[in-house]
Amino acid sequence: MQACKLQAVPTLAGASPRGVCSVKRKVALRRAPTPGCPRKVLCSVADAARSPVAAPGWPAKDPTHFLQIDDLSRSEFDKVLQAAAVLKAKYHQRSTDFRPLEGKSMCMVFAKASMRTRVSFETGFNWLGGSVVCLEGKTVGLGEREEARDIARVLSSYSDLIMARLYAHSGITELAEYSRVPVVNGLTDYNHPCQVMADALTVQEQLGRLEGIKWVYVGDGNNMVQSMLELAAVVPIELHIVSPEGYQSTVSDQDRQKFEAIGSRVYLSSDPYESIKGADVVYTDVWASMGQKEEAETRKKAFQGFQVDEAMMTQAGPQARFMHCLPAERGIEVSDAVIESPQSIVFPQAENRLHAQNAIMLNCLGIDVS
């Protein structure tokens, strides 16, 4: 097993270097990940001397983690999306003869509060035949009561898969670094890959295509933006990120070259009414995420003119579909009329968390969906 080495890469000023296990470089945003080793099959531990000793019955090869969308190749991405569509059809047929996870267990670790993430993962894993243990807050105390590397070794000796929803991205990368079973990123402050996989499935269903769409995000340059940029590194889309000054994301020249190489176009703007013209997808998120609620009033002032309302959707055009990762603060980042309008596909989008994540979990476990 070849250990991955810590290598300095270009990041934003003040950001830390991180573990790099391939020549592929991640998009650098305001919230750059802290040191870790996020690649999936290419590495497992940062230092062979610190490697946990494999216990009898543990996998002989490195697990396949899902930490960010561009961990997947284009063919892998397409395979997961196709599997999600098949699994969705089986689920709606209330099929009981497809139980590939019979006898398997998943441990879910929640540092951040959750409704959709918990219910969708637990429902999905149970439907596929497995059993779930949920650990919340101080029960685990990841990074406080106990180090992530110790938690990873223990939980991976009990479970076949670990899903974690955390604050610091370093927590998920360290879990993956030391786990002997697949780790799925249910969300960190850095990115939210499961949500954007569900979004991609929803766009494919609603518009009949994903490639070449005009996807306009209006709001804070947060973890959702990071995963949208990861999507643009895998599938050619036209992505517009529209944020007020001081809340914008940053894309390097190297990143732009990567997008252009596959045919994606990425634009950063602070003018929502200009950017939104002709959009296929209009997307927003809360202006103050978990951990930023003390900034809510300051952000409301900074984001004046960025609410997705009826006037903005009219500017986008009748073809535009409205999306939101939820929970929504109605009357703040989106008007009630827009989220309840015929152009809104928010609730089919929320359902697709279940089906996309089922496909992600089976892919991590190497189980084919036919």
Side-chain angles (χ1 to χ4, degrees):
M1 180 187 300
Q2 183 169 351
C4 65
K5 299 178 181 179
L6 192 66
Q7 172 185 338
V9 297
T11 60
L12 295 179
S16 302
R18 60 189 176 89
V20 175
C21 306
S22 78
V23 295
K24 196 173 183 182
R25 178 184 174 272
K26 294 296 161 214
V27 177
L29 290 183
R30 292 185 298 109
R31 298 186 185 90
T34 47
C37 182
R39 307 310 298 167
K40 52 166 192 160
V41 178
L42 301 176
C43 67
S44 62
V45 294
D47 188 299
R50 296 185 295 144
S51 296
V53 177
W58 281 12
K61 64 178 183 177
D62 294 338
T64 299
H65 305 303
F66 181 73
L67 305 188
Q68 49 199 65
I69 290 173
D70 52 348
D71 279 346
L72 300 172
S73 67
R74 177 60 194 273
S75 61
E76 290 169 332
F77 175 90
D78 289 343
K79 178 183 176 183
V80 171
L81 228 57
Q82 289 164 7
V86 171
L87 291 166
K88 183 173 183 176
K90 288 180 180 290
Y91 185 83
H92 282 288
Q93 293 163 3
R94 292 297 185 257
S95 174
T96 58
D97 59 352
F98 183 71
R99 296 176 63 81
L101 300 184
E102 193 82 53
K104 295 188 181 295
S105 66
M106 171 175 66
C107 186
M108 302 193 300
V109 178
F110 288 95
K112 278 193 172 187
S114 166
M115 183 186 77
R116 275 156 295 278
T117 299
R118 176 169 180 178
V119 175
S120 57
F121 268 107
E122 189 164 346
T123 299
F125 206 85
N126 286 334
W127 176 68
L128 292 167
S131 59
V132 178
V133 175
C134 181
L135 302 174
E136 296 182 296
K138 293 182 180 179
T139 303
V140 179
L142 190 146
E144 297 176 357
R145 180 174 175 271
E146 191 166 0
E147 290 190 26
R149 56 183 170 175
D150 296 342
I151 292 170
R153 289 163 169 163
V154 172
L155 294 184
S156 61
S157 70
Y158 299 152
S159 306
D160 299 284
L161 188 142
I162 298 169
M163 188 286 296
R165 179 181 168 94
L166 309 175
Y167 286 95
H169 194 71
S170 58
I172 200 78
T173 59
E174 191 170 352
L175 284 176
E177 183 178 341
Y178 285 91
S179 176
R180 289 287 178 172
V181 301
V183 172
V184 175
N185 179 1
L187 173 143
T188 69
D189 284 345
Y190 177 64
N191 66 352
H192 197 356
C194 287
Q195 178 65 61
V196 174
M197 288 297 290
D199 297 343
L201 175 63
T202 307
V203 170
Q204 180 71 50
E205 289 176 342
Q206 296 286 331
L207 301 182
R209 71 190 196 284
L210 181 58
E211 283 195 21
I213 67 161
K214 182 175 181 179
W215 181 314
V216 181
Y217 173 88
V218 180
D220 183 32
N222 60 14
N223 54 359
M224 287 302 307
V225 171
Q226 172 60 29
S227 285
M228 291 175 192
L229 289 166
E230 292 166 9
L231 175 65
V234 179
V235 180
I237 61 174
E238 181 181 334
L239 177 62
H240 294 251
I241 308 298
V242 189
S243 309
E245 296 291 339
Y247 295 90
Q248 294 177 330
S249 305
T250 302
V251 180
S252 70
D253 290 340
Q254 183 179 353
D255 295 326
R256 291 191 181 282
Q257 290 171 7
K258 179 172 59 175
F259 299 143
E260 289 169 5
I262 69 160
S264 284
R265 292 176 290 168
V266 176
Y267 303 93
L268 305 180
S269 169
S270 58
D271 185 347
Y273 278 85
E274 182 61 31
S275 299
I276 210 166
K277 293 177 182 177
D280 296 299
V281 169
V282 177
Y283 202 120
T284 193
D285 190 11
V286 292
W287 294 341
S289 300
M290 278 183 280
Q292 300 173 331
K293 295 306 181 183
E294 70 282 357
E295 303 174 27
E297 290 306 313
T298 300
R299 285 171 173 261
K300 278 184 185 179
K301 295 176 183 177
F303 281 82
Q304 288 301 308
F306 283 79
Q307 183 189 90
V308 179
D309 56 14
E310 299 94 310
M312 195 175 288
M313 291 301 294
T314 298
Q315 179 80 342
Q319 80 293 332
R321 297 293 177 265
F322 174 73
M323 301 181 75
H324 194 303
C325 53
L326 300 180
E329 295 186 340
R330 296 179 183 225
I332 299 179
E333 76 274 1
V334 58
S335 70
D336 189 76
V338 166
I339 205 168
E340 294 291 352
S341 73
Q343 288 176 282
S344 173
I345 54 174
V346 165
F347 298 108
Q349 174 190 2
E351 181 196 337
N352 279 340
R353 286 286 300 277
L354 170 68
H355 311 301
Q357 289 163 186
N358 284 348
I360 289 165
M361 291 188 291
L362 292 181
N363 185 67
C364 288
L365 291 166
I367 297 172
D368 186 55
V369 177
S370 56

